[in-house]
Amino acid sequence: MASGNAIRGSRVGAGPMGEAERGESAPRLRISFWCSNGHETQPSFASDAQIPETWDCPRCGFPAGTDRENPPDPPRTEPYKTHLAYVRERRSDADGEAILAEALAKLRGEI
């Protein structure tokens, strides 16, 4: 028994019309990019588009370049720094001692 809905499962615009309905597509170029892990990616660009220097590899996320023998280096990841590590970068031990002495003097009421 059919439910009586003849167009069930189809959508507006569905069908074999293809390019006749949408017009012809722009000429395309497929450019190969390689990452440092050896993965190859071939994105498609319009023939008149500017090709980027690097492309992110969809498999590992590293940057990929067009030179297979010399791919871009993966980005360096810096370890997490604590607040104290940043303070130590800005201040020398002598500066720290002077600030500590000043704070202690203020607490003792000497200033």
Side-chain angles (χ1 to χ4, degrees), residues 3-74:
S3 66
N5 191 351
I7 61 171
R8 182 179 173 162
S10 63
R11 66 181 195 276
V12 175
M17 292 298 289
E19 289 188 6
E21 190 174 289
R22 292 188 302 264
E24 292 189 28
S25 60
R28 310 293 275 168
L29 294 173
R30 292 190 73 79
I31 306 294
S32 291
F33 289 89
W34 287 273
C35 70
S36 59
N37 287 334
H39 302 141
E40 181 182 11
T41 304
Q42 289 186 330
S44 180
F45 297 97
S47 62
D48 59 347
Q50 182 178 357
I51 307 301
E53 296 276 327
T54 60
W55 192 262
D56 289 340
C57 177
R59 291 179 66 189
C60 63
F62 287 170
T66 55
D67 185 6
R68 183 180 202 163
E69 302 302 319
N70 192 15
D73 294 328

